[in-house]
Coordinates of all heavy atoms in Angstrom, one line a residue:
G301 N 131.6 46.2 73.4 CA 132.7 45.7 72.6 C 133.5 44.6 73.4 O 133.2 44.3 74.5
L302 N 134.4 44.1 72.7 CA 135.2 42.9 73.3 C 136.0 43.3 74.5 O 136.3 44.5 74.7 CB 136.2 42.4 72.2 CG 135.5 41.8 70.9 CD1 136.7 41.3 70.0 CD2 134.5 40.8 71.2
S303 N 136.4 42.3 75.3 CA 137.3 42.6 76.4 C 138.6 43.1 75.8 O 139.2 42.5 74.9 CB 137.5 41.3 77.2 OG 138.4 41.5 78.2
G304 N 139.0 44.2 76.4 CA 140.3 44.8 75.9 C 140.2 45.8 74.8 O 141.1 46.4 74.3
A305 N 138.9 46.0 74.3 CA 138.7 46.9 73.2 C 139.0 48.4 73.7 O 139.3 49.2 72.8 CB 137.3 46.8 72.7
G306 N 138.8 48.6 75.0 CA 139.1 50.0 75.5 C 137.9 50.7 76.1 O 137.9 51.9 76.3
K307 N 136.8 50.0 76.4 CA 135.6 50.6 76.9 C 135.8 51.3 78.2 O 135.5 52.5 78.4 CB 134.6 49.5 77.1 CG 134.3 48.6 75.9 CD 133.2 47.6 76.2 CE 133.6 46.5 77.2 NZ 134.8 45.7 76.7
S308 N 136.5 50.6 79.2 CA 136.7 51.2 80.5 C 137.7 52.4 80.4 O 137.5 53.5 81.0 CB 137.3 50.2 81.5 OG 136.3 49.2 81.7
T309 N 138.7 52.2 79.5 CA 139.7 53.3 79.4 C 139.0 54.5 78.8 O 139.3 55.6 79.4 CB 140.8 52.8 78.4 OG1 141.4 51.6 78.9 CG2 141.8 53.8 78.1
I310 N 138.2 54.4 77.9 CA 137.5 55.6 77.2 C 136.5 56.2 78.2 O 136.5 57.5 78.4 CB 136.9 55.2 75.9 CG1 137.9 54.9 74.9 CG2 136.0 56.3 75.4 CD1 137.4 54.2 73.6
R312 N 136.5 56.1 81.5 CA 137.2 56.8 82.6 C 137.9 58.1 82.2 O 137.9 59.0 82.9 CB 138.3 55.9 83.2 CG 137.7 54.9 84.2 CD 138.8 54.2 85.0 NE 138.6 52.7 84.9 CZ 139.4 51.9 84.3 NH1 140.5 52.3 83.7 NH2 139.1 50.6 84.3
D329 N 131.0 50.5 85.7 CA 131.9 49.5 85.1 C 131.5 48.1 85.4 O 131.3 47.7 86.5 CB 133.3 49.8 85.5 CG 134.3 49.2 84.5 OD1 134.4 48.0 84.4 OD2 135.1 50.0 83.9
D331 N 133.2 45.4 85.4 CA 134.1 44.6 86.4 C 133.7 44.9 87.8 O 133.6 44.0 88.6 CB 135.5 45.1 86.2 CG 136.1 44.4 84.9 OD1 135.5 43.4 84.5 OD2 137.2 44.8 84.5
P372 N 130.7 51.0 80.6 CA 131.6 50.2 79.8 C 131.3 48.7 80.2 O 131.9 48.2 81.2 CB 133.0 50.6 80.3 CG 132.8 51.3 81.6 CD 131.3 51.7 81.7
V373 N 130.4 48.1 79.5 CA 130.0 46.7 79.7 C 129.9 46.0 78.4 O 129.2 46.5 77.5 CB 128.7 46.7 80.5 CG1 128.1 45.2 80.6 CG2 128.9 47.2 81.9
I374 N 130.5 44.8 78.3 CA 130.6 44.1 77.0 C 129.2 43.9 76.3 O 129.1 44.3 75.2 CB 131.2 42.7 77.1 CG1 132.7 42.8 77.7 CG2 131.2 41.9 75.9 CD1 133.3 41.5 78.0
V400 N 132.7 50.1 70.8 CA 134.1 50.3 70.9 C 134.8 49.1 70.3 O 134.7 48.0 70.7 CB 134.5 50.4 72.4 CG1 136.1 50.5 72.5 CG2 133.8 51.6 73.1
R410 N 146.8 43.0 73.4 CA 146.8 43.8 74.6 C 146.6 42.9 75.8 O 147.3 43.1 76.8 CB 145.6 44.8 74.6 CG 145.7 45.9 73.5 CD 144.4 46.7 73.5 NE 144.5 47.7 72.4 CZ 143.4 48.3 71.9 NH1 142.3 48.1 72.4 NH2 143.6 49.2 70.9
V412 N 145.0 42.7 78.6 CA 145.1 43.4 79.9 C 144.9 42.5 81.1 O 145.7 42.6 82.1 CB 144.1 44.6 80.0 CG1 144.5 45.5 81.2 CG2 144.0 45.4 78.7
K413 N 143.9 41.6 80.9 CA 143.6 40.8 82.1 C 144.1 39.3 82.0 O 143.8 38.5 82.9 CB 142.0 40.7 82.3 CG 141.4 42.1 82.5 CD 139.9 41.9 82.5 CE 139.2 43.3 82.6 NZ 137.8 43.2 82.3
L415 N 143.1 37.2 79.9 CA 141.9 36.3 79.6 C 142.2 35.5 78.3 O 141.9 34.3 78.2 CB 140.6 37.1 79.4 CG 140.1 37.8 80.6 CD1 138.9 38.6 80.3 CD2 139.9 36.9 81.8
D445 N 136.9 53.1 66.8 CA 137.8 52.0 66.4 C 139.2 52.3 67.1 O 140.0 53.1 66.7 CB 138.0 52.0 64.9 CG 139.0 50.8 64.4 OD1 139.7 50.3 65.4 OD2 139.0 50.5 63.3
T446 N 139.4 51.5 68.2 CA 140.6 51.8 69.0 C 141.8 51.2 68.5 O 142.9 51.5 69.0 CB 140.4 51.3 70.5 OG1 140.3 49.9 70.5 CG2 139.1 52.0 71.1
S447 N 141.7 50.4 67.4 CA 142.9 50.0 66.7 C 143.5 51.1 65.8 O 144.6 51.0 65.3 CB 142.7 48.7 66.0 OG 141.8 48.9 64.9
R448 N 142.7 52.1 65.6 CA 143.1 53.2 64.6 C 143.1 54.5 65.3 O 143.7 55.5 64.7 CB 142.1 53.2 63.4 CG 142.1 52.0 62.5 CD 140.9 52.1 61.6 NE 140.8 50.8 60.9 CZ 141.2 50.6 59.6 NH1 141.7 51.6 59.0 NH2 141.0 49.5 59.1
R449 N 142.5 54.7 66.5 CA 142.5 56.0 67.1 C 143.2 55.9 68.4 O 143.0 54.9 69.2 CB 141.0 56.4 67.4 CG 140.2 56.9 66.2 CD 138.8 57.1 66.7 NE 137.9 57.3 65.7 CZ 137.6 58.4 65.1 NH1 138.1 59.5 65.5 NH2 136.7 58.5 64.1
R450 N 143.8 56.9 68.8 CA 144.4 57.0 70.2 C 143.2 57.2 71.2 O 142.1 57.7 70.8 CB 145.4 58.2 70.3 CG 146.7 58.0 69.6 CD 146.9 59.3 68.9 NE 148.1 60.1 69.3 CZ 149.3 59.8 69.2 NH1 149.7 58.6 69.0 NH2 150.3 60.7 69.4
V451 N 143.5 56.9 72.4 CA 142.5 57.1 73.5 C 141.9 58.5 73.4 O 140.7 58.8 73.4 CB 143.1 56.8 74.9 CG1 142.0 57.1 75.9 CG2 143.5 55.4 74.9
S454 N 139.5 59.1 70.6 CA 138.2 58.4 70.8 C 137.4 59.2 71.9 O 136.2 59.4 71.7 CB 138.4 57.0 71.4 OG 138.9 56.2 70.4
Ligands
ATP27 N1 143.8 53.4 71.2 C1 143.4 52.8 72.4 N2 142.2 53.1 72.8 C2 141.8 52.4 74.0 N3 142.6 51.6 74.7 C3 143.8 51.4 74.2 C4 144.3 51.9 73.1 N4 145.6 51.5 72.8 C5 145.9 50.7 73.8 N5 144.9 50.6 74.7 C6 144.9 49.8 75.9 O1 144.0 48.8 75.8 C7 143.5 48.4 77.1 C8 142.0 48.4 77.1 O2 141.6 47.9 78.3 P1 140.1 48.2 78.9 O3 140.2 47.7 80.3 O4 139.8 49.7 78.7 O5 139.2 47.3 78.0 P2 137.7 47.0 78.2 O6 137.1 47.2 76.9 O7 137.2 47.8 79.4 O8 137.8 45.5 78.6 P3 136.8 44.6 79.6 O9 135.6 44.3 78.8 O10 137.7 43.4 79.8 O11 136.6 45.4 80.8 C9 144.1 49.4 78.1 O12 145.2 48.9 78.7 C10 144.5 50.6 77.2 O13 145.6 51.3 77.7

Side-chain angles (χ1 to χ4, degrees):
L302 299 180
S303 179
K307 304 179 297 296
S308 297
T309 301
I310 291 168
R312 280 193 231 112
D329 199 296
D331 281 342
V373 170
I374 298 173
V400 180
R410 291 176 184 162
V412 191
K413 299 176 185 167
L415 298 177
D445 181 345
T446 66
S447 67
R448 292 166 191 261
R449 287 176 193 269
R450 289 132 115 65
V451 176
S454 292

